Amino acid sequence: MSDPLPLSGRPGIRAAMFVDFDNVYTGLLALDPAAKRFAEDPKHWTEALADGGAGGESRRFLIRNCYLNPVVYSKYRTYWTRAGFRVIDCPSLTQRGKSSTDINLVLDAMDALSGSGVIDEFFIASADADFTSLIQRFRAADRMTTVIAAGAVAFAYREMADHVVESHDFVAILNGTAVEPIHAVASPKQQHVPAAAKSKTTAASPAVREVLEFVRNAPGPVVGAMVAHRALTADPSLKTDWGGFGKFGTWVAQIGQSVEYSPAQGGWVWDAKRFSGEDLPAPADLQPGIEEQVTRVTDVPALSAAQFRQVFLAMAARLREHPLNRTELSRLVRDDCVSAGQPVSRNAVNFVLQGLAYANFQPSDEATPAGLAAAWTANVEELCRVALLEFDAAEKSAVRRWASGGLLESTQPDNSPD
């Protein structure tokens, strides 16, 4: 019998997908109702990740494995088998509910790595840092690695992977709001601008004219959130998908006409005729002292205490007005912060919302700025603990004061032993 999947003569990156269903599903449940779409329509998001888009190289998932606990999640099994996944039952083996997912996934992945068919890229859908050593083995074998995260991701695990599909990006793919979702994981050489979208952004666009005038008259590089706010004010239709480019950074980067963009520190835009990347403020200028160490090691957004405070004030105010989904809430909070003179990026707001979910805080119309600040600060402290950052009492107080935006200064200080 001939090989049913000949590796020669077929285009696309040869990829393998290993899904820790329990980990991803429970992580998504804490973030967005899209968890149901992940469980019931794996074909949709798998095809979105496989599609390279116009001009991009697509992926062929030669291996699609899903590892789940059949006692808890058996009702989803059919959806995955119909989507072409091999479902491996991993029931709980201990009284504490520990399943055999980790060992089964690692054994299958190592078989794929050492098999006769070369896999170019390995996808691990799990936020479980136990797979860090597996990612290391992939890198040592010179294979691309992509982690799909639906939960808090340990710093070492994140850094070992070539690409990370963040929770909010994965939710966007599940909701169908990411026009080019594959770009979230594509390598720089594979990134491209959709041909159809190029024609939408011209010098005659009101948003482009507004951005050009704003950036050219600015005294230095401008925070990306402020530029995005100006563009959306001039052309509200961009809020849907940024004219087909999916994200603000991609949209503003292709404007040209000496407009430069960097995603560093939340995003900056500048006039290349007068400034360069060297004129961007250093992280130490934005967050002196212990705060800079936290942002560098844990990926917490490099915001000032005043910016964090404004995020909590804006979020509480919006939640009191009416219930919002996470996507709409992050956009409105970003816009409110810009209007208040404390610009933050939408990614930063999403990171805070994700942190609130990890702290088991459910935003509602009864949420207060102090309550939001307390939950977020608890999440930051947990990230520091996981990253093995050791602080004395004064440093702990400084981190708490910074992360909470000063909203918890009146509460009892942390007197726990180091």
Side-chain angles (χ1 to χ4, degrees):
M1 180 179 293
S2 61
D3 185 353
L5 282 177
L7 297 179
S8 61
R10 293 190 179 185
I13 299 170
R14 292 166 294 193
M17 171 78 74
F18 300 91
V19 180
D20 181 349
F21 182 94
D22 301 27
N23 181 278
V24 177
Y25 184 67
T26 55
L28 287 175
L29 278 178
L31 300 175
D32 196 277
K36 184 176 181 181
R37 193 168 292 113
F38 159 77
E40 297 183 353
D41 193 7
K43 183 175 184 292
H44 163 73
W45 58 263
T46 304
E47 290 181 347
L49 291 173
D51 183 13
E57 190 171 4
S58 62
R59 290 173 175 81
R60 294 172 52 229
F61 285 107
L62 304 184
I63 297 173
R64 301 184 184 190
N65 284 3
C66 173
Y67 305 81
L68 58 74
N69 186 333
V71 176
V72 182
Y73 300 117
S74 61
K75 64 180 180 180
Y76 298 117
R77 184 186 185 93
T78 301
Y79 297 109
W80 290 76
T81 56
R82 291 180 61 183
F85 276 80
R86 170 177 170 246
V87 178
I88 297 89
D89 289 336
C90 300
S92 298
L93 301 178
T94 68
Q95 292 182 343
R96 300 184 63 181
K98 180 66 174 177
S99 74
S100 59
T101 291
D102 292 8
I103 187 63
N104 281 320
L105 191 155
V106 169
L107 288 173
D108 288 343
M110 289 305 298
D111 284 345
L113 179 63
S114 60
S116 58
V118 177
I119 300 297
D120 303 312
E121 184 172 13
F122 286 83
F123 279 70
I124 303 296
S126 177
D128 191 343
D130 287 348
F131 295 121
T132 302
S133 295
L134 179 63
I135 299 293
Q136 289 176 329
R137 293 295 296 270
F138 293 152
R139 288 183 66 90
D142 194 24
R143 309 298 168 84
M144 299 294 290
T145 56
T146 296
V147 168
I148 299 176
V153 182
F155 187 76
Y157 184 39
R158 174 189 299 274
E159 289 301 300
M160 187 56 61
D162 291 298
H163 313 291
V164 177
V165 183
E166 302 290 354
S167 298
H168 55 271
D169 285 327
F170 192 48
V171 168
I173 294 174
L174 295 174
N175 288 328
T177 57
V179 176
E180 292 289 334
I182 196 64
H183 291 164
V185 297
S187 64
K189 291 182 180 180
Q190 295 169 332
Q191 292 181 0
H192 66 279
V193 175
K198 288 183 179 179
S199 61
K200 297 182 181 180
T201 303
T202 66
S205 164
V208 171
R209 290 199 303 268
E210 177 67 23
V211 168
L212 290 174
E213 181 179 359
F214 183 48
V215 173
R216 288 171 177 173
N217 292 307
V222 186
V223 176
M226 297 186 69
V227 180
H229 183 69
R230 290 289 192 110
L232 291 173
T233 300
D235 184 1
S237 68
L238 288 175
K239 71 180 181 181
T240 303
D241 62 2
W242 285 101
F245 291 92
K247 296 183 178 181
F248 165 71
T250 307
W251 177 83
V252 76
Q254 55 76 49
I255 288 178
Q257 304 186 61
S258 299
V259 172
E260 295 287 340
Y261 169 78
S262 170
Q265 305 165 25
W268 290 86
V269 184
W270 65 91
D271 178 6
K273 291 183 178 179
R274 297 182 297 140
F275 307 105
S276 69
E278 296 180 356
D279 295 304
L280 297 181
D285 296 334
L286 296 174
Q287 301 291 350
I290 198 68
E291 297 89 341
E292 189 275 331
Q293 184 180 356
V294 173
T295 60
R296 177 164 46 84
V297 174
T298 66
D299 284 343
V300 168
L303 306 182
S304 66
Q307 287 173 311
F308 276 126
R309 183 187 186 93
Q310 189 58 50
V311 167
F312 303 133
L313 293 173
M315 193 175 295
R318 287 295 181 179
L319 288 170
R320 284 196 300 270
E321 290 178 0
H322 49 79
L324 296 166
N325 61 43
R326 174 173 165 169
T327 301
E328 186 70 5
L329 180 60
S330 65
R331 181 182 66 81
L332 292 174
V333 170
R334 187 274 312 275
D335 291 347
D336 291 345
C337 290
V338 172
S339 298
Q342 295 293 345
V344 301
S345 69
R346 193 167 179 180
N347 281 341
V349 178
N350 274 319
F351 196 99
V352 172
L353 286 170
Q354 184 172 294
L356 293 173
Y358 297 154
N360 295 319
F361 185 93
Q362 297 299 326
S364 68
D365 57 1
E366 298 181 355
T368 64
L372 292 165
W376 162 250
T377 302
N379 176 68
V380 172
E381 291 172 338
E382 176 62 13
L383 290 175
C384 292
R385 185 192 68 79
V386 171
L388 302 180
L389 290 174
E390 297 183 359
F391 301 134
D392 58 29
E395 290 171 332
K396 288 181 179 179
S397 295
V399 170
R400 183 177 179 83
R401 186 165 53 251
W402 161 68
S404 68
L407 291 171
L408 304 182
E409 287 184 334
S410 60
T411 62
Q412 183 176 359
D414 181 7
N415 294 319
S416 60
D418 295 342

